[in-house]
Amino acid sequence: MTTLAKRIVQGGPAGVNVRRYRIIRNIVLVAVTAIAIGGFLIDVPRIQILEHTARNLYFHVPMWFTLMAAVTFSAYHSIRFLQTGNLVRDVRAREAALVGIVFGILGLLTGMVWARFTWYQGTNIWWNFDPKQTMAAVQLLIYGAYFVLRSAIEEPQKRGRIAAVYNLFALVTVPFLLFILPRQAPSLHPGADGNPAFSDFTAPEMRWVLYPAFIAFIGLFWVLYTQRVRFSLIKLRLHGDSE
Amino acid sequence: MIRWILGAWAVFEKDVKLELRSRYAINMILLFVLAALFLVAFSVGQEALTPRIESALLWIVIVFSAALGLGRSFVSEEERGTVLLLLLHTRGDMVYAGKLLFNFLFVLGLNLVAVVTFVVMLGIEVISVSLLLTTIVLGALGLAGATTMLAAIIARTATRGPLLPVLVFPMLIPLLLAVVTATREALPGGEGWAAAGNEMLTLIGFAGVVISASIVLFDYVWYD
């Protein structure tokens, strides 16, 4: 490894603090394992039609939260890139979107499987136009377009600027879905039109797994994201371009 | 302020004159809309459609044609090499305002042609003409607001042309849902204005947010 690359990996103004990274990575590894074990072994109250699928709560909901965290991260770094023109910000916005896509797809799949084998048991319905499901799908489409747009521009500074503009511009239209979608189709999620609120049916013992699961999944996002950022920063320093 | 309006108007006037001289975009979009509507009408045949499907087909044709027609508004400046002249003589927000006005009127005309053709060809009865017209105007405003900005974005890319639909469709989903629902309320079986208030608010809000965001972000795209 060249000294330059070593310096980037081991820290510095734009790099990542490796000791802190290792500590957090180990905590996240333990936490995710504990969530997986606890999620499947700790007893859950049997609610009508949910039964054991209620365990999906520990995985589906944190994934959806992680997507929202990733979107916030990506948008924040896009704004900062437009302010500073520092390519490190562009790398961070891109990698947050990339890792966010992974969690978004997982959240979408767990949600679809959950609905199919509980509410739609015995039917052939996989896609149910649930507002939250559609919003996640739209955000994934936007990120797909974001990466297509990036691949169409050669010069790094220009690519960063245009991509940041698109990232923010497309994002402002997403909240409208919150307003318009619930009128199109009823939601399966708690707290929406007549469904019981989240706190009404969640047994206290489930929260002992659920709340740590939020932290564990966002931690997992952080680990993957910082790995990707370090990798891209090395490429950026060595080639002058991170893609 | 008066200088700003004059500057934006000059950009608009330039676009109108150029368009009337060549009539390339107008003719192309007119034919595209007519051909697409013919395709829809022939594939549907004599089948009776529900108002929901009628309005969905209509707006899908409109959205596709707008994405096709507006894609050129900034690419043409790059191709003619007139970007530098605009940069020298006007500010970014004037260019945006002029282009937005032109694109808005363009989409509005396109919508009117599409709706009239559609109503005549499929024999659709309209119970609330004022609601349908308001939906068309507000829909055109939101559509033009979103595509003008993205047209500026794709003019900066290497491939330019075919990228616009990919970029614009995910953003247009809220707009599409609102216009389709409002159009359905204007057709038989709908409740007219009484049921479309929410959709009208969504359309106004969508256009407002998209245009404000464009004004904030346009300079980052326009200046190199």
Side-chain angles (χ1 to χ4, degrees), chain A residues 193-215:
Chain A
D193 42 46
N195 294 3
F198 180 71
S199 52
D200 290 350
F201 68 88
T202 317
E205 62 264 34
M206 288 185 81
R207 292 176 201 190
W208 285 104
V209 184
L210 181 62
Y211 292 157
F214 285 136
I215 299 166

Side-chain angles (χ1 to χ4, degrees), chain A residues 13 18 24 31 34 38 42 60 111 122 132 141 177 224 237:
Chain A
V18 171
I24 296 181
I42 293 175
H60 172 68
K132 289 194 171 66
L141 279 180
L177 293 168
L224 295 172
R237 299 293 162 82

Side-chain angles (χ1 to χ4, degrees), chain A residues 12-204:
Chain A
V16 177
N17 183 333
V18 171
R19 261 195 71 210
R20 193 185 64 193
Y21 166 75
R22 287 201 181 122
I23 293 170
I24 296 181
R25 181 194 62 191
N26 294 343
I27 293 173
V28 166
L29 277 178
V30 173
V32 172
T33 316
I35 296 301
I37 295 171
F40 284 111
L41 293 185
I42 293 175
D43 197 35
V44 294
R46 309 292 153 78
I47 306 167
Q48 182 63 32
I49 77 160
L50 274 180
E51 304 294 341
H52 273 293
T53 68
R55 295 181 192 280
N56 199 2
L57 186 76
Y58 304 139
F59 305 99
H60 172 68
V61 182
M63 282 163 185
W64 167 237
F65 266 66
T66 310
L67 174 64
M68 289 202 291
V71 169
T72 317
F73 249 68
S74 181
Y76 168 73
H77 285 295
S78 285
I79 294 174
R80 296 290 290 152
F81 179 77
L82 290 181
Q83 285 173 344
T84 61
N86 183 355
L87 280 174
V88 176
R89 296 290 182 185
D90 182 44
V91 166
R92 288 185 180 277
R94 185 189 74 205
E95 300 305 347
L98 191 68
V99 184
I101 287 180
V102 176
F103 280 93
I105 291 175
L106 287 175
L108 211 56
L109 288 179
T110 48
M112 281 164 75
V113 172
W114 200 1
R116 170 67 180 76
F117 294 104
T118 50
W119 293 275
Y120 295 118
Q121 181 69 46
T123 67
N124 211 13
I125 300 174
W126 286 93
W127 188 265
N128 55 50
F129 292 97
D130 184 279
K132 289 194 171 66
Q133 186 179 355
T134 313
M135 273 182 76
V138 168
Q139 187 58 47
L140 291 180
L141 279 180
I142 287 175
Y143 278 149
Y146 171 77
F147 282 102
V148 171
L149 177 63
R150 295 188 67 93
S151 64
I153 307 172
E154 282 295 318
E155 204 247 311
Q157 273 289 338
K158 189 160 120 185
R159 179 174 56 218
R161 212 174 54 239
I162 302 288
V165 168
Y166 180 70
N167 193 7
L168 297 170
F169 188 60
L171 194 65
V172 299
T173 62
V174 174
F176 281 98
L177 293 168
L178 270 180
F179 191 57
I180 194 79
L181 280 172
R183 286 169 58 81
Q184 306 286 324
S187 179
L188 302 175
H189 285 93
D193 42 46
N195 294 3
F198 180 71
S199 52
D200 290 350
F201 68 88
T202 317

Side-chain angles (χ1 to χ4, degrees), chain B residues 22 31 81 111 151 154 214 217 222:
Chain B
S22 73
L31 274 173
N111 285 1
I154 58 153
S214 303
L217 293 170
W222 186 238

Side-chain angles (χ1 to χ4, degrees), chain B residues 56-69:
Chain B
L57 286 173
L58 169 69
W59 280 100
I60 285 174
V61 170
I62 288 178
V63 163
F64 268 86
S65 351
L68 201 72

